Amino acid sequence: MSEKQRKILEVKHLKQYFNVGKADEVKAVDDVTFDVYEGETFGLVGESGSGKTTTGRSIIHLYEPTAGNILFEGKDISKLKTKTDFLSFRREMQMIFQDPYASLNPRMKIKDIVAEGIDIHHLAKNDAERSKVVEDLLETVGLNRDHSSRYPHEFSGGQRQRIGIARALAVQPKFIIADEPISALDVSIQAQVVNLLKDLQREHGLTYLFIAHDLSMVKYISDRIGVMHYGKLLEVGTADEVYAHPLHDYTASLISAVPVPDPEYERTRKQIPYDAAGEQDHPGNPRKLREIVPGHFVRCTEEEVALYKKKAAAYN
C-alpha cells in the first residue's frame, strides 16, 4: 500500500480477553496490530474461533478492549467519554452483521429499521424526507421502494442482508466493518452481495474491514489480507501476494482447503496440515509481525526472518 495513502484506522497491540483472572480466561484477541488505509478493503480471514469477529467488535467498541489502542482518523477511540463523541464516532463507522435473520428486529417495519440511524443522528428534517431517504437507500441496495412498509420475515436471507447494508449506509459512514456478511447466504446470493459491496465502495468512497473464513471470497474483494489464528495475526500482505505466495504454514494450510472446481484435482490433491505447537512464544524470543518482503509481513522471531526470506525468494 502506498505511503501516500492515509491511514484511516490504526490497531495497535489490541487485546480482548474474557473472564480475566479466572481459570476459564479466554484470550480471544492477543496483541493484534494492523492498519487500514482510506478507500481500501482489508480482509480479515481465519477459521471459526480465530478472533476475527471479536477484533471487529472491539474496533467498533461493542466490546471494551482489554488493552491496546485503536485510532480512527487519528483519534484514540478508547479516549471517547461523552455521548456526543460516541455518536459522532458511530456515525463515521458502521457494522454489517453476520446473521441477517437475527440482526433485524422482527417487530419493526423495514422503513423504521433502516431509519434508526437517521432518527438518532437527526439526518432528516421531516417524515417526508425520512421516507424518501429510506426508499432511495432500498433502491441503492437493489430492493424496491415499496418494500419499506414490510416486515423482515417477508424477505429472503439475501434481501435481509441488503436491508442490513442499507441500514449501515443510512448515516453516510466512512468506514464499514462487514462481519461475515455472506456466510449465512446461498452461494448464488453471496456473489451478488459482494458485488453490491464493491459497487457501493466505488460510489461512496467507503473503506471496509471485511471479515470472513472463505479465503477465496476474501481474495476477490480485498486489497490486502490479514490471516488470524488463535487470536493472533500471523500474516499480512496484498491479496494476490498472500494467496499466491503464502509464507506462513497456517496460511498455506487455509489455502489448501479452498475447493477447486475440478473433480480430478480434488481427488489427487492433499491438504497441508498445520501444527500450532511450534508457534508458542517464549520469554526473550518474541514473535511479532516482521516485514519479509516489501508489504508482506509474517509473525515470527528475529531468527526466523532469514528462513521466510528464503521461502519468499523461492516463489520468484
Side-chain angles (χ1 to χ4, degrees):
M1 190 59 59
S2 168
E3 288 296 316
K4 293 180 181 178
Q5 284 192 273
R6 189 170 69 93
K7 292 177 184 177
I8 191 170
L9 179 73
E10 298 172 67
V11 179
K12 299 180 178 180
H13 306 292
L14 176 65
K15 295 182 180 181
Q16 186 68 65
Y17 297 174
F18 298 101
N19 303 324
V20 177
K22 298 180 181 178
D24 58 347
E25 179 177 285
V26 176
K27 296 182 178 181
V29 179
D30 196 11
D31 199 20
V32 164
T33 297
F34 64 90
D35 300 323
V36 181
Y37 293 86
E38 190 172 33
E40 78 164 340
T41 298
F42 185 88
L44 204 55
V45 67
E47 60 193 299
S48 296
S50 61
K52 55 193 187 300
T53 290
T54 305
T55 300
R57 286 172 174 260
S58 299
I59 288 169
I60 204 168
H61 234 278
L62 292 179
Y63 297 142
E64 186 71 36
T66 306
N69 299 98
I70 301 164
L71 276 66
F72 180 66
E73 297 212 298
K75 294 179 183 176
D76 192 338
I77 295 165
S78 64
K79 300 287 198 300
L80 301 179
K81 300 297 182 187
T82 67
K83 185 179 178 182
T84 304
D85 288 341
F86 269 107
L87 273 176
S88 177
F89 164 64
R90 288 271 161 77
R91 184 179 172 188
E92 301 275 285
M93 185 184 291
Q94 285 285 303
M95 193 164 193
I96 301 166
F97 294 93
Q98 178 176 355
D99 189 346
Y101 297 90
S103 61
L104 304 181
N105 189 331
R107 296 181 179 180
M108 291 174 67
K109 289 185 177 180
I110 301 308
K111 63 182 177 184
D112 297 319
I113 290 172
V114 174
E116 258 189 308
I118 296 171
D119 297 339
I120 290 168
H121 295 281
H122 310 293
L123 300 179
K125 298 186 184 74
N126 49 49
D127 285 346
E129 185 177 340
R130 178 184 188 262
S131 296
K132 185 180 186 309
V133 170
V134 170
E135 289 170 0
D136 288 347
L137 282 166
L138 291 177
E139 284 196 334
T140 297
V141 298
L143 297 173
N144 296 329
R145 300 174 80 85
D146 58 4
H147 284 164
S148 65
S149 60
R150 299 186 188 178
Y151 289 90
H153 74 268
E154 299 178 64
F155 295 90
S156 67
Q159 288 175 319
R160 291 185 205 198
Q161 198 57 288
R162 289 172 187 267
I163 293 164
I165 294 169
R167 176 175 59 186
L169 288 174
V171 295
Q172 301 157 15
K174 295 179 180 176
F175 191 99
I176 290 180
I177 298 174
D179 178 19
E180 302 222 30
I182 58 172
S183 64
L185 307 179
D186 290 342
V187 174
S188 58
I189 305 299
Q190 288 182 359
Q192 294 177 19
V193 172
V194 167
N195 285 330
L196 170 64
L197 289 171
K198 290 185 76 159
D199 291 343
L200 292 171
Q201 182 178 42
R202 193 164 49 248
E203 292 164 15
H204 298 276
L206 295 168
T207 305
Y208 290 143
L209 174 62
F210 190 88
I211 299 168
H213 60 262
D214 182 346
L215 194 53
S216 56
M217 188 60 81
V218 170
K219 177 185 179 292
Y220 174 67
I221 194 173
S222 302
D223 298 294
R224 291 186 303 132
I225 293 175
V227 181
M228 282 192 76
H229 186 57
Y230 285 161
K232 297 183 183 295
L233 199 56
L234 302 186
E235 186 165 356
V236 176
T238 64
D240 289 338
E241 188 70 19
V242 170
Y243 200 83
H245 304 147
L247 297 180
H248 199 282
D249 288 347
Y250 177 70
T251 309
S253 177
L254 267 185
I255 292 171
S256 76
V258 175
V260 175
D262 182 346
E264 189 59 39
Y265 178 82
E266 286 291 330
R267 271 195 294 272
T268 56
R269 78 164 176 169
K270 294 180 180 178
Q271 289 190 15
I272 301 170
Y274 172 69
D275 181 9
E279 290 291 325
Q280 300 304 311
D281 283 329
H282 301 284
N285 190 24
R287 277 189 163 82
K288 61 182 182 180
L289 281 178
R290 302 176 193 273
E291 194 167 26
I292 306 303
V293 294
H296 197 156
F297 300 79
V298 175
R299 183 175 180 271
C300 61
T301 64
E302 188 68 54
E303 291 80 5
E304 291 170 330
V305 169
L307 291 172
Y308 281 113
K309 285 190 174 182
K310 188 175 180 182
K311 190 173 182 180
Y315 281 120
N316 299 321

